[in-house]
Amino acid sequence: QSARQQLSAELNISVDFPQLQDQFEELRNQLPTETDAQERELKEITESLDTLTPKTIEKDEDKMLPPMNKLSRFFNALENKDSPWYKIVNGTKKGLAMAGKVAKTYNKFAQHLGLPMAPKFLVDMVAGE
C-alpha cells in the first residue's frame, strides 16, 4: 500500500481542503480584530489558502506548505497566553470552538506534511464531535 493510498484513508483532499478553507473563513468572520495588522494577517492566511484547489494540491503537495506554515504560526500565537490572538480567540466562545474545528482539520494535513500539530487544547475543543 503506497503512502498516498494510506493518506487517502485519513485525508480526503477534495473534501478536507475546502472544509479547511471554509472553516478558516468562518473563524475569520468570528474574530474581532483590534488592529490593521491583525486584519491583514487573517486576510493573508485566507488568501494563501484560497490560492489552492484540491486539484493543484494533488499535482504538487508542496504548494500547501506556505498556507499551512501561516496557519501553524497562527496556532502558535493562540498557544501563547501573552499573544493578542490568544486573548481575542479565548474572549469569544464561538471563536474558540471554530478555532478548534480549524485546528482539527489542519492537523490532518500537518501530520502528512511533517508540520507541527495545532495545540492540543484547541483540538480538544471539538474532540466530542
Side-chain angles (χ1 to χ4, degrees):
Q1 186 171 347
S2 76
R4 184 171 288 289
Q5 288 172 324
Q6 218 171 11
L7 172 66
S8 67
E10 302 163 19
L11 175 68
N12 182 342
I13 291 173
S14 62
V15 172
D16 293 326
F17 192 74
Q19 182 180 25
L20 180 66
Q21 290 169 310
D22 290 346
Q23 288 171 341
F24 189 81
E25 183 65 30
E26 189 175 335
L27 174 63
R28 179 182 173 194
N29 291 334
Q30 294 295 323
L31 298 180
T33 53
E34 298 172 351
T35 67
D36 288 345
Q38 289 171 341
E39 182 56 41
R40 275 194 308 275
E41 184 178 348
L42 292 178
K43 184 178 181 189
E44 193 177 296
I45 294 169
T46 302
E47 288 175 350
S48 185
L49 288 169
D50 287 348
T51 63
L52 300 176
T53 66
K55 209 168 259 189
T56 58
I57 294 167
E58 287 170 7
K59 287 182 188 171
D60 185 0
E61 287 180 6
D62 287 344
K63 289 186 185 230
M64 288 188 67
L65 290 173
M68 294 295 118
N69 279 324
K70 288 176 183 174
L71 264 178
S72 178
R73 287 191 296 273
F74 179 73
F75 289 133
N76 284 341
L78 290 181
E79 206 168 20
N80 176 356
K81 288 183 172 40
D82 295 326
S83 153
W85 285 124
Y86 176 88
K87 293 169 183 148
I88 291 170
V89 170
N90 281 288
T92 60
K93 188 173 184 170
K94 194 168 184 179
L96 193 56
M98 198 63 235
K101 288 181 181 180
V102 174
K104 186 175 179 183
T105 306
Y106 161 86
N107 277 351
K108 293 179 184 180
F109 293 95
Q111 187 173 10
H112 173 65
L113 296 168
L115 292 168
M117 301 298 271
K120 185 174 176 356
F121 81 92
L122 283 175
V123 178
D124 288 347
M125 294 297 299
V126 292
E129 286 188 14

